[in-house]
Amino acid sequence: MATEDSTGKRKIAYFSMEIALENAMPSYSGGLGVLAGDTIRAAADLRLPMVAVSLLYRKGFFVQHLADDGSQSEEPVEWRVEDFLKEEPARATLTIEGRPVELRCWRYEAKGIRGYHVPIYFLDADLPGNADADRALTGSLYGGDSYYRLCQEVLLGIGGVRILRALGYDHLNRFHMNEGHAALLSTELLAEQARTRGRKRIRGEDIEKVRSMCVFTTHTPVPAGHDRFPMEFLTRVFPNQSDFLDLSDPVSAALMKRVLQVQEPFSDLQAAAKGGATLNMTHLALNLTMYVNGVAKQHGVTSRQMFPGVHIEAITNGVHAGTWAAPSFQNLFDRYVPDWREDNYSLRNMLGAPPEEVWTAHLLAKHELFELVRKKTGIKLDPEVFTIGFARRATAYKRADLVLTDLDRLRQIAKNAGKFQIVYAGKAHPNDSGGKDLIRRIFQAKKALRKAVPTVFLDNYNMEVGGKMTSGVDLWLNTPEFPLEASGTSGMKAAMNGVPSLSILDGWWVEGHIEGITGWSIGELRRDLPLEPPADHRSEAESIYNKLEGTILPTYYNERRKFIEIMQHAIAVNGSYFNTQRMVQDYTANAYIR
């Protein structure tokens, strides 16, 4: 079934394991999905000829239940796909363990500010003709074991290319892999190249052609975060493709060595499986891509240290301005920077907006957040009190409890420098026991602080909660363990709403930080990877306390006009640059049309 785009109008295919588009459509996990959604919205705004592909998760999101002690339990969210997406008649078939697996897709259209649409296709294996195990592959993002995960990535990468072909997308110029989850699309492109040359086995000319078609973005700054699968899993999924590579060809043989990180190539894939080889999906993508980038300048440095010898650029992430600016700030921008949606860079002119109107917009956003807090917790926070926000995935390296290291010190600061309160939110991965322990520690501290430092934890962190928090607090706190913050976008969303950051100098904040102008730093700037993570985090906690007590709270309470100037600089300096409009333009110039 050909579509209106089968002439080749669409030139870029964007593949992501998860894509977040609407609060009410819970078919995604978290940050990577939200970034993908923001990217696609920006592409639609810029009328970029793109098509996007992801998996459909009928149980992709979960309801977070928190007990009185902060213990987290999960309940999957089920939703009616047809309420949000339109089923396409096109079908594609691939094989897993020799079984045919049929795929369909559901279409969503991201509409840009000028009416241009970018289609997103969600792949679905839940069809009556498929085996039960295969139907479940597009059931849950968190389901199953690593073999289940591999099969999902087979559907995304190989199935995604095939469904695009079935839809009539035959003239795509670039395939953008958002993280290594989609790396197997390169093997499907290799197979296509070989077939056009009348061969079944991959040779050097196929590899060079596919490299010229692929773009790869890595988001993970630690080796453990990259998908790795035993080659025996691959040979189990593809039992009849042991001789996929023509290893008599030196380019193919060299590719196997680099991808499997071995000194000598195996005779075939079965031999690699018997030899205990492991496929790292990032290495597969790195070796079949003409452009590789990290997602912040510091992350580019970290990635080059992780993968020596690989040329890795950096394109810093952004957020979609029209999505993350709160209604009160959208109205403010409309009055003073009327073309901000078409030209995010024009937000630099917010330096000239009346400070009292910036403050009024902020108070309206703060009211919206506090209403959400009241509805969720029954607690009425004081809008006159300085409010700190922290909302990230609850996992150990993000250190949500770093500010809670010394509760007596927090009480002292609140007494001497000015009252403050903290609003938390965040979900732990269902299998992350450390993340769940982190939430329990926050609940313990919350009870211990009581009225001295009112602290609330909002359950079911999602796009709506995130949007209200990043616009409604007075300070955005970010405390990742260096260098594990690849980019981070929550602080960018805060800046879009005039909320300055207090953050570790990692990820995007290395670029966005101007001390006392756009926010404040925690600790000092570092560049090199640490040999091992620090055992003692007290020096960074002390930096937080010193900044709060000596600078931030006095400025908020005693120099309100200066604090508003910092808010305006957060918008004008950071909001105008750290957006997906600029980011997509960077991808277009550096990766898509080169």
Side-chain angles (χ1 to χ4, degrees), residues 329-348:
F329 276 94
Q330 291 190 32
N331 292 335
L332 181 67
F333 298 161
D334 287 342
R335 291 198 300 276
Y336 292 100
V337 195
D339 62 343
W340 68 277
R341 288 181 177 85
E342 290 80 10
D343 177 14
N344 293 172
Y345 186 57
S346 67
L347 287 170
R348 67 193 184 279

Side-chain angles (χ1 to χ4, degrees), residues 11-12 48-49 173-174 212 215 290-291 584-594:
K11 299 296 184 182
I12 303 150
L48 191 67
N173 290 351
R174 292 285 184 271
S212 72
V215 173
M290 65 96 179
Y291 183 88
V584 169
Q585 289 171 331
D586 284 351
Y587 276 112
T588 301
N590 294 301
Y592 295 161
I593 63 173
R594 60 185 290 175

Side-chain angles (χ1 to χ4, degrees), residues 326-329 358-376 379-385 387 421 423 458 464-465 467-474 497 499 556 567:
S328 59
F329 276 94
V358 175
W359 187 247
T360 298
H362 175 61
L363 291 180
L364 289 170
K366 197 170 186 179
H367 172 76
E368 290 294 314
L369 170 62
F370 285 16
E371 271 297 293
L372 179 68
V373 170
R374 184 187 63 80
K375 290 177 181 178
K376 277 185 167 287
I379 297 172
K380 293 183 179 180
L381 296 178
D382 187 345
E384 297 295 323
V385 172
T387 304
Q421 53 205 2
V423 181
L458 304 182
E464 179 186 8
V465 174
K468 290 187 184 301
M469 286 188 64
T470 52
S471 61
V473 298
D474 299 305
N497 294 281
V499 175
Y556 180 83
M567 294 174 62

Side-chain angles (χ1 to χ4, degrees), residues 100-251:
V101 179
E102 186 179 26
L103 282 180
R104 63 179 167 182
C105 65
W106 300 77
R107 180 176 175 134
Y108 181 99
E109 291 195 341
K111 185 178 180 180
I113 51 179
R114 301 178 182 89
Y116 186 81
H117 290 82
V118 170
I120 303 102
Y121 296 103
F122 291 86
L123 306 179
D124 184 13
D126 189 12
L127 290 166
N130 292 334
D132 289 346
D134 299 328
R135 295 182 68 168
L137 290 175
T138 52
S140 174
L141 182 59
Y142 294 128
D145 54 16
S146 60
Y147 185 74
Y148 175 93
R149 180 73 165 188
L150 171 62
C151 292
Q152 287 187 314
E153 297 189 9
V154 169
L155 294 189
L156 176 63
I158 297 174
V161 173
R162 293 185 184 182
I163 204 76
L164 287 177
R165 301 311 191 202
L167 288 163
Y169 294 99
D170 296 322
H171 302 281
L172 293 161
N173 290 351
R174 292 285 184 271
F175 290 81
H176 188 165
M177 295 174 276
N178 190 33
E179 196 55 284
H181 314 308
L184 288 171
L185 74 82
S186 61
T187 65
E188 179 64 13
L189 296 178
L190 287 171
E192 286 184 345
Q193 290 300 314
R195 284 196 296 272
T196 62
R197 294 174 170 85
R199 289 185 276 99
K200 293 184 178 180
R201 303 173 77 190
I202 306 305
R203 295 183 60 82
E205 56 264 39
D206 308 319
I207 293 168
E208 293 308 313
K209 177 62 177 178
V210 169
R211 278 187 183 135
S212 72
M213 299 165 66
C214 292
V215 173
F216 174 53
T217 299
T218 177
H219 296 261
T220 308
V222 289
H226 297 261
D227 287 338
R228 297 167 60 92
F229 302 107
M231 280 301 295
E232 61 180 305
F233 281 11
L234 272 293
T235 55
R236 178 178 161 190
V237 174
F238 305 117
N240 301 316
Q241 296 190 29
S242 182
D243 59 348
F244 181 70
L245 292 171
D246 182 353
L247 296 177
S248 66
D249 176 77
V251 178

Side-chain angles (χ1 to χ4, degrees), residues 245-283:
L245 292 171
D246 182 353
L247 296 177
S248 66
D249 176 77
V251 178
S252 291
L255 176 67
M256 174 184 271
K257 289 168 59 178
R258 289 195 303 270
V259 169
L260 298 184
Q261 295 289 284
V262 294
Q263 295 298 316
E264 296 296 331
F266 293 97
S267 59
D268 58 22
L269 300 186
Q270 288 287 352
K274 292 177 181 178
T278 298
L279 173 63
N280 183 312
M281 301 300 275
T282 298
H283 284 298

